[in-house]
Amino acid sequence: MESHFVVALAFLAVGIMGGHAGGPPPEMYWKRVLPNSPMPKAVKDSLQFATGATVNEGNNGLEIITGKPGRKTQITAGKGVATVSKDPRGKAVFVGVHPGYTPGFIYNYAANETQLHDNPNTAFFFLEKDLTPGTKINFHLAKSDNRAIFLPRVVSESIPFSSEKLPEILKELSVSPGSGEAKSIEQTIRECEAKGVAGEEKYCATSLESMVDFAVSKLGRNVEAVSTDVKKETRVGKYTVSGERKMAGGDEVVICHKQNYAYAVFYCHLTKSSVAYAVTLMGADETKVTVMAVCHADTSTWNPRHVAFQVLKITPGTLPVCHFLPEDHIVWVAK
């Protein structure tokens, strides 16, 4: 069963002001480094709770103030870590956690039979030939419940992020050892620490600033970041491909997948021999959705038991493997 836990760090994602040093807010960093690159919805969603709030540092910790009379939240902090239970609008902030689930976007991961049958994301994978207009595709795009938000880099870098420091991490995040939440946190960290496949350059970004820096270091500053944005509520069923647009950038893309964690962490990797597409799908009710997809031409170094090969009934290094991107994932291409 899906479990949830209250984010222990939610409001440190706002621009920290006053006596708490740390540089510009994350969204200002984006505008400074990427002035000509619009911010995709996946990034905006991970910043949404930062809007309209400021942070003051006092004797009892950090105080979040929204600018509305009488509307403030007191939190206690240690090493830049805060414990909160509600956002400035009075709503609890949760992150969807799926203990034991490893996404198919990690190429050296082998899926077992249970995961093949239980995982709706198996419908994310398809062959490049399926992008031909008129092709019928079984499409499943569950609305993401991962509401983890970005912390400013100065804060995220003050928090341990390694398997060796797991007990300290759980203590600071107020997570009980052995709980589903603890297992999810540990799994994310271990996936980040695991070695990538040959030719893959991977990095887990624990802040928006570090994600921007990684993408820029691989593709340059003249980049475009895009994400899937589906407004349609019914996201499961048969769809027909009505068109596709190949993104710029040649055969190198950086993909950042949002992880299950107490604050926003993105598993980013540079993949070569890969092409990004904006795919338009038509539903039975003739409503259109545009979904981001990436096709990988060279899968020769992927795990032979990867979910894509089992679903598509192919072997590594034979045909290009494509997959859709959920709403909270980001693809970067050079313009």
Side-chain angles (χ1 to χ4, degrees):
M1 176 182 293
E2 176 183 306
S3 60
H4 296 80
F5 65 103
V6 178
V7 180
L9 306 163
F11 306 113
L12 292 180
V14 302
I16 294 185
M17 303 173 65
H20 196 91
E27 59 268 40
M28 293 303 297
Y29 187 82
W30 178 289
K31 293 177 182 178
R32 189 179 70 188
V33 178
L34 304 172
N36 300 315
S37 299
M39 187 179 286
K41 184 177 183 295
V43 172
K44 292 179 180 178
D45 287 348
S46 295
L47 289 169
Q48 61 181 329
F49 294 110
T51 303
T54 58
V55 180
N56 293 329
E57 188 170 25
N59 294 330
N60 297 320
L62 298 175
E63 185 178 67
I64 308 298
I65 303 175
T66 65
K68 297 181 179 180
R71 186 70 67 86
K72 60 185 180 181
T73 301
Q74 187 72 41
I75 57 180
T76 55
K79 290 187 180 180
V81 181
T83 302
V84 302
S85 59
K86 295 185 180 234
D87 73 8
R89 293 166 291 182
K91 297 180 180 178
V93 182
F94 294 97
V95 175
V97 178
H98 310 272
Y101 168 63
T102 299
F105 306 116
I106 298 177
Y107 306 141
N108 55 10
Y109 175 73
N112 58 41
E113 287 299 321
T114 300
Q115 290 161 331
L116 281 173
H117 290 297
D118 294 345
N119 180 9
N121 287 344
T122 55
F124 276 19
F125 295 96
F126 58 94
L127 297 175
E128 193 168 27
K129 67 179 181 62
D130 295 330
L131 290 176
T132 304
T135 301
K136 305 289 185 181
I137 288 182
N138 286 320
F139 184 64
H140 183 117
L141 185 66
K143 192 171 183 64
S144 173
D145 61 357
N146 188 335
R147 300 179 66 196
I149 61 171
F150 283 114
L151 298 183
R153 174 155 51 188
V154 66
V155 178
S156 68
E157 289 185 348
S158 72
I159 305 168
F161 191 81
S162 72
S163 53
E164 293 181 354
K165 297 290 184 69
L166 185 62
E168 182 179 344
I169 294 170
L170 297 180
K171 183 178 179 181
E172 293 205 19
L173 298 181
S174 301
V175 175
S176 300
S179 65
E181 293 84 0
K183 292 177 182 178
S184 182
I185 287 172
E186 180 179 9
Q187 180 171 309
T188 290
I189 292 174
R190 293 195 182 280
E191 288 171 355
C192 287
E193 292 177 336
K195 185 178 180 180
V197 300
E200 177 189 22
E201 298 181 52
K202 53 175 285 193
Y203 172 74
C204 278
T206 59
S207 67
L208 177 59
E209 298 95 320
S210 60
M211 180 169 65
V212 168
D213 287 352
F214 177 76
V216 168
S217 71
K218 302 304 175 185
L219 302 174
R221 287 198 175 211
N222 191 23
V223 294
E224 180 180 9
V226 289
S227 63
T228 294
D229 183 3
V230 177
K231 297 178 176 61
K232 181 178 170 63
E233 289 302 318
T234 303
R235 298 149 177 258
V236 181
K238 282 192 176 295
Y239 284 77
T240 302
V241 176
S242 62
E244 50 82 10
R245 177 173 63 90
K246 186 176 181 180
M247 306 294 292
D251 64 351
E252 289 190 352
V253 298
V254 168
I255 314 170
C256 294
H257 310 284
K258 196 170 188 179
Q259 302 298 102
N260 289 318
Y261 210 73
Y263 51 91
V265 171
F266 281 79
Y267 179 107
C268 299
H269 49 167
L270 172 71
T271 61
K272 300 182 180 181
S273 301
S274 301
V275 178
Y277 292 92
V279 184
T280 302
L281 303 175
M282 176 91 65
D285 57 359
E286 297 189 349
T287 58
K288 290 184 178 181
V289 296
T290 299
V291 188
M292 297 308 303
V294 175
C295 293
H296 305 279
D298 184 5
T299 60
S300 59
T301 59
W302 292 22
N303 191 309
R305 296 289 297 167
H306 188 277
V307 60
F309 301 134
Q310 299 190 60
V311 169
L312 300 175
K313 309 299 183 185
I314 62 174
T315 56
T318 53
L319 296 173
V321 169
C322 304
H323 59 79
F324 293 117
L325 289 175
E327 289 177 287
D328 53 3
H329 297 203
I330 303 161
V331 58
W332 301 74
V333 296
K335 291 182 180 178

